[in-house]
Amino acid sequence: MILSEPLKINNKILRNRIVMPPTATRKAENGGPNYEQIEYYKKRAVGTGLIIVEHAYVSPEGMASIGQLSMADDSIISAYQKLTDAVHQEGALILAQISHAGSYAKTMGEKIAPSAYAFKDGMNLPKEITKDDIKRIVKCFADASIRAKKAGFDGVEIHSAHGYLLTQFYSPLTNKRTDEYGFQNLESRTKIHREIIRAIRESAGSNFILALRFGGCDYMEGGSKIEDIPKASKIFEDDGIDLLDISGGLCAYTLKENNNPGWFADSSKAAKNAVNIPVILTGGIKTKEDAEKFLIDGACDLVGIGREMMKNPNWPKEALA
């Protein structure tokens, strides 16, 4: 099986093609993983190639939910060291996913977004982010990557999916700006991404996996399109991304019109055909047969098994038996 084959990312070797994608447990204590979370990931690291931990906010105003992990200050490094040690003991690699929720934030203060535009009904109008705030947030992502490296993570995954801040810049439905970060073309829609990628690479160095969870298509009229994915993916690769993790944009992580296994396969295949770096496909994949099919068909290089691994931590061992 291709599923059982190793794969090199940056200078690290994954022992197989099975990925546990980030899925929120919302059980953090003071921003760090507690004992229950550490045990949860340790069990699912057995037989898995790569664990991507649920997202951690890089700045307090970007917190997406109560109980979310934080990567916003140095106090959490020691708690994460226990997590990375536990996962490495089971033979898996581990990435921290770092994020900013933008207008989806659950903080009490004013929300910030690329534009003063409320995408969802009932959402408070966010404040248009200033260029000074963009610089600050870019630095927050870079600082978070340094903390992750100190904590023993093999790399970080930048969260640009599911409607959060970087998706809001990428999507024409939420980005109404007319400056160099505006909706006019892919170069401007991805400018903040490229600044974050370069800042992390400069801060954390070359010997560190840098992944991007890319909501490449909103699957909504007027939103980001699959046709944009090849060019955007190549932009990210050229700026230093080692791994693309394909998911949804403003549609989040599911598709109402498609609940077949691998529902983002059209997006992942568009990315894979454009780049020379590995691509992950997630979305409703439950069986090893389906996982193998997508690998054989060239839709991806790695397969994310989310809800099935949440229910059954032995999924990797059983699939590879």
Side-chain angles (χ1 to χ4, degrees):
M1 290 190 299
I2 299 175
L3 193 65
S4 65
E5 294 178 359
L7 182 71
K8 186 175 183 180
I9 303 176
N10 194 300
N11 69 335
K12 310 271 187 181
I13 303 293
L14 301 187
R15 60 184 169 187
N16 58 49
R17 307 300 180 92
I18 300 171
V19 178
M20 182 183 177
T23 308
T25 64
R26 300 186 181 93
K27 294 181 178 180
E29 292 181 4
N30 300 316
N34 62 14
Y35 175 81
E36 183 180 355
Q37 283 176 302
I38 292 170
E39 288 299 302
Y40 171 85
Y41 285 109
K42 179 179 173 66
K43 288 179 182 178
R44 286 156 182 81
V46 178
T48 303
L50 176 65
I51 297 281
I52 307 176
V53 178
E54 61 198 87
H55 66 157
Y57 57 85
V58 299
S59 180
E61 88 280 348
M63 183 176 71
S65 62
I66 302 300
Q68 184 186 0
L69 291 170
S70 168
M71 200 65 79
D73 64 77
D74 291 349
S75 67
I76 45 75
I77 292 175
S78 60
Y80 280 120
Q81 286 171 334
K82 297 175 184 176
L83 171 60
T84 58
D85 285 346
V87 169
H88 284 147
Q89 285 169 11
E90 301 300 339
L93 298 186
I94 181 169
L95 304 184
Q97 189 187 66
I98 50 179
S99 73
H100 191 294
S103 63
Y104 285 16
K106 294 296 190 293
T107 51
M108 296 299 294
E110 191 172 36
K111 315 294 190 294
I112 56 174
S115 305
Y117 177 75
F119 173 68
K120 289 186 175 181
D121 292 340
M123 178 184 286
N124 292 333
L125 193 70
K127 174 187 173 184
E128 181 169 300
I129 189 171
T130 66
K131 291 182 182 179
D132 283 343
D133 268 334
I134 289 174
K135 290 179 182 178
R136 177 180 61 82
I137 288 169
V138 168
K139 186 176 186 302
C140 286
F141 273 92
D143 290 346
S145 73
I146 295 171
R147 295 181 189 109
K149 189 171 185 179
K150 289 179 178 178
F153 284 94
D154 298 292
V156 294
E157 178 175 87
I158 302 163
H159 199 343
S160 178
H162 306 169
Y164 293 133
L165 181 65
L166 299 186
T167 313
Q168 293 163 22
F169 272 96
Y170 185 73
S171 174
L173 289 172
T174 46
N175 185 346
K176 309 297 182 182
R177 301 172 74 97
T178 57
D179 63 3
E180 65 267 37
Y181 296 94
F183 66 91
Q184 306 92 300
N185 53 59
L186 275 174
E187 285 74 16
S188 55
R189 285 161 52 196
T190 59
K191 181 174 172 58
I192 189 171
H193 300 71
R194 288 178 284 130
E195 290 176 350
I196 289 169
I197 293 165
R198 293 169 186 171
I200 291 176
R201 188 58 80 199
E202 183 176 347
S203 299
S206 59
N207 186 23
F208 194 64
I209 295 173
L210 185 47
L212 181 78
R213 190 158 220 200
F214 180 33
C217 182
D218 291 328
Y219 295 90
M220 297 176 181
E221 186 176 351
S224 57
K225 302 175 181 178
I226 288 177
E227 291 78 12
D228 294 335
I229 290 175
K231 185 175 180 181
S233 298
K234 189 62 180 169
I235 287 172
F236 299 141
E237 179 184 28
D238 289 346
D239 274 292
I241 287 294
D242 298 310
L243 173 66
L244 281 172
D245 181 4
I246 303 300
S247 191
L250 292 177
C251 66
Y253 44 82
T254 59
L255 286 178
K256 292 180 181 178
E257 64 274 19
N258 181 2
N259 61 3
N260 294 320
W263 49 68
F264 293 123
D266 52 356
S267 288
S268 68
K269 199 161 192 175
K272 180 170 167 50
N273 288 339
V275 297
N276 296 308
I277 55 175
V279 173
I280 304 172
L281 169 63
T282 61
I285 301 170
K286 298 179 179 180
T287 68
K288 68 178 181 181
E289 290 79 13
D290 283 334
E292 187 72 7
K293 173 182 175 293
F294 288 117
L295 292 167
I296 292 171
D297 289 350
C300 57
D301 303 282
L302 296 150
V303 181
I305 309 295
R307 296 186 184 187
E308 291 304 302
M309 281 185 66
M310 289 177 70
K311 293 186 292 185
N312 177 16
N314 296 318
W315 194 97
K317 290 192 296 182
E318 294 170 3
L320 299 175

